[in-house]
Structures are given as structure tokens and as C-alpha cells.
Amino acid sequence: MDLGLTGKTVVVTGGSKGIGYAAAEAFLKEGAKVAICARHEEELKEAAKTLSQYGPVYYEAFDVVDAEYNYRFAEHVNQKFGSLDVWVNNVGVSGPKKGDEYDDEEIDFMTGVCFKSVVYGCQAAFRYMKKQHSGAIVNVSSLAARCPSAGRSTLYGPLKSAINNLTNTFAGEYCPYNVRVTCIMPGFTLTPAVKRTISPEELNMNTQATLLRRAANPEEIARPIVFLASSAASYMTATTIEVSGGRSMTLNPSFAYDRLAAEQK
Ligand SMILES: NC(=O)c1ccc[n+]([C@@H]2O[C@H](COP(=O)([O-])OP(=O)(O)OC[C@H]3O[C@@H](n4cnc5c(N)ncnc54)[C@H](OP(=O)(O)O)[C@@H]3O)[C@@H](O)[C@H]2O)c1
């Protein structure tokens, strides 16, 4: 299937590693021109160098929490590649804290990275997509929007949940300009950082609670992101899809995987 991405300009925020990197690679393999950003310049430069084997890559190091940097990045990308067709708001962070442990500074930090950056990204993209009368924005939320991580990273779920709502709200505002806004909720994903830091107990706990009995690889999240941005999803806007290996399904206490599995034997 032709995804209609050949020659299109795609921005992926947080493209130096993890899901963002996998998405950048997947877009390039579809023939797109890709721009990535992240804070750490050396790592970003290295990622851009590796990615450039698949197609044209532009990079800029900055913090997405700063509105002006987002707007300037959009301007530079548009100058460099001549259009701005897709914007993926991928940056996000989960802080391992309980609700009563956050101080004001940490609340601002979480809100900035997980929520404000997505607003700025949408605004930056829309400036150009509005003029073009076309475009697709994909926001990266989390399954935590649906299953909040109480007792661990308390603010992450509510902020991701706000992104789901923001997606629909911006979709409503941008639709007269033929700009679609969609969202993806990944489940547990084995990015290099997660692989490095996760304990065997936590990995086991997560895989046991997933219908497919394993965590996702970043590429398995990247492909649905590419799909949402592509012409294959041309009738999709104001929608959020869950890509979690069936994690929500096991929240139902009457679901009995072990019994079902035993019946197969
Ligand atoms: N991995 C999972 O299990 C999982 C599950 C559900 C949802 N998600 C969501 O998926 C997205 C990507 O997650 P990931 O696990 O791939 O993350 P990751 O491996 O930690 O990568 C994050 C990327 O964002 C960049 N970044 C972080 N803060 C930034 C900032 N303030 N400004 C600019 N760039 C910034 C990082 O580079 P620098 O550090 O150099 O800035 C890096 O390129 C996030 O929104 C996350 O919430 C992840």
C-alpha cells in the first residue's frame, strides 16, 4: 500500500532515541524527509548521521518546553525542506514519584515536558499546515492515560490523558484547514533506556499483564505512528488508538488468561 509519504516533510520531536528514533527511521523508509530534535546535541547528531543512510535528515538541539524554539524549528524545517506535512509530538517523560511528593518546580517540569510541549508543537505545525491547507499531527500519549500509574509517576497519566483530549480539541479547530490530529497510546515499550533500567521483576509483571505476553519493540509503536500520519489514515482525525498488546483487556478481573491458555493445551 502506498502511504503517500514520499517527499513529505516530517518532524519527530525526541527523535534521537527510543520510539522517536524508530518513527524517524520508519518515515525515512517511506520516502519522507525527516527533521528531529532533542536536547543533547552529540547524541542527536549521531542519530541524524545514522538515520541519513535512509534519506534526508535535518536536526536541531533544543528543549521542546520552550515555545519559541518550537516555532523557530518549524520555520527552519520549512525553509530546509520546503513544506511541513507531518508533526509527531513524541517527547514525554515519566517521573517516578507519588502525588504528594511533587513540589511546585517538579509539577511545572512534568507539565512542561508532557503537556505544554505538545501544545507548542501543534501550534508550530499549524502555522505552516494552515497555509498549505493540509497536514497531519500525531501526538504520543500513553496507556497510562487510560490506566493511571497510581503510586508511581502520579502526574504522568493525567497529563497524557490531557493529550488525548487536546488531540480531539485541536482536531476540531484545525479541521477547516484539512489538518488531521490523531493520537497513539503506546503500552510498555522496550526502548534502549527502558531495557537498561527495568528490573526483571517489573518486566515480568508488565508482560504478565499484557495479552500478547511481551513488551513492544519501538518499531511496533513507530509503524502505527506512520500509519496515522499517512494517507492510509485520511479519514481519521480526533481519535486515539491504543497499541498496547492488549494491556487494557487484562484489567478486567474476570479475564482469565491462564485458564484460556490451559484450555489450548
Ligand atoms: N517507552 C515506553 O514504555 C512508553 C510507553 C508509553 C508511552 N511512551 C511515550 O512515548 C514517548 C517516547 O518515549 P520513549 O520511551 O521513546 O522515550 P526516551 O527513550 O526517553 O526518548 C525520549 C526522546 O525525547 C527527547 N527529549 C526528552 N525530553 C526532551 C525535551 N524537554 N526537549 C527535547 N527533547 C526531549 C530525548 O532526547 P534528550 O534526552 O537528548 O532530550 C529522546 O530523544 C514519550 O512521550 C513517552 O511518554 C513511552
Side-chain angles (χ1 to χ4, degrees):
M1 188 187 345
D2 179 12
L3 296 181
L5 289 164
T6 307
K8 299 285 184 193
T9 303
V10 176
V11 164
V12 181
T13 71
S16 66
K17 55 191 170 203
I19 292 169
Y21 180 91
E25 184 179 316
F27 278 114
L28 284 163
K29 286 179 174 170
E30 287 300 324
K33 299 172 274 189
V34 170
I36 55 173
C37 68
R39 290 161 306 173
H40 298 94
E41 187 154 16
E42 273 314 306
E43 198 175 21
L44 180 67
K45 192 173 160 186
E46 206 46 49
K49 195 173 152 199
T50 313
L51 285 168
S52 64
Q53 66 186 294
Y54 304 111
V57 180
Y58 175 74
Y59 71 91
E60 225 169 86
F62 68 93
D63 190 330
V64 290
V65 176
D66 187 312
E68 279 308 317
Y69 280 127
N70 284 281
Y71 305 152
R72 232 176 295 159
F73 184 47
E75 187 186 334
H76 296 164
V77 173
N78 188 56
Q79 277 165 2
K80 168 89 182 155
F81 289 141
S83 65
L84 214 171
D85 305 297
V86 173
W87 187 291
V88 182
N89 285 306
N90 165 69
V91 169
V93 67
S94 68
K97 287 213 161 186
K98 286 193 281 184
D100 58 356
E101 293 170 352
Y102 287 92
D103 63 24
D104 201 34
E105 201 178 316
E106 289 160 341
I107 295 171
D108 279 350
F109 172 76
M110 285 298 291
T111 310
V113 180
C114 286
F115 184 74
K116 283 167 84 173
S117 73
V118 181
V119 178
Y120 300 146
C122 290
Q123 291 174 336
F126 186 58
R127 287 181 180 194
Y128 296 89
M129 293 177 177
K130 184 180 179 178
K131 285 185 210 142
Q132 291 169 192
H133 209 81
S134 72
I137 296 171
V138 182
N139 297 325
V140 180
S141 171
S142 167
L143 188 65
R146 187 166 285 165
C147 326
S149 21
R152 186 184 185 276
S153 194
T154 301
L155 292 186
Y156 183 67
L159 289 166
K160 289 296 193 182
S161 186
I163 292 177
N164 298 8
N165 192 303
L166 190 76
T167 297
N168 294 354
T169 310
F170 272 137
E173 291 182 6
Y174 294 174
C175 67
Y177 301 92
N178 194 31
V179 174
R180 298 185 298 106
V181 191
T182 54
C183 183
I184 180 169
M185 288 191 295
F188 187 55
T189 308
L190 277 184
T191 60
V194 170
K195 266 188 193 163
R196 263 197 315 276
T197 52
I198 191 147
S199 68
E201 294 74 33
E202 201 180 349
L203 180 60
N204 186 45
M205 192 177 70
N206 274 284
T207 51
Q208 289 304 310
T210 302
L211 224 53
L212 294 182
R213 283 302 203 252
R214 63 179 179 83
N217 294 315
E219 295 72 25
E220 292 176 300
I221 307 301
R223 286 192 289 267
I225 291 175
V226 170
F227 162 72
L228 285 174
S230 77
S231 58
S234 56
Y235 200 57
M236 293 177 78
T237 193
T239 195
T240 295
I241 59 168
E242 177 182 322
V243 184
S244 72
R247 176 70 180 82
S248 320
M249 167 75 181
T250 63
L251 297 175
N252 183 337
S254 66
F255 172 73
Y257 178 91
D258 293 334
R259 181 173 54 74
L260 289 170
E263 280 172 13
Q264 299 301 314
K265 287 180 184 153

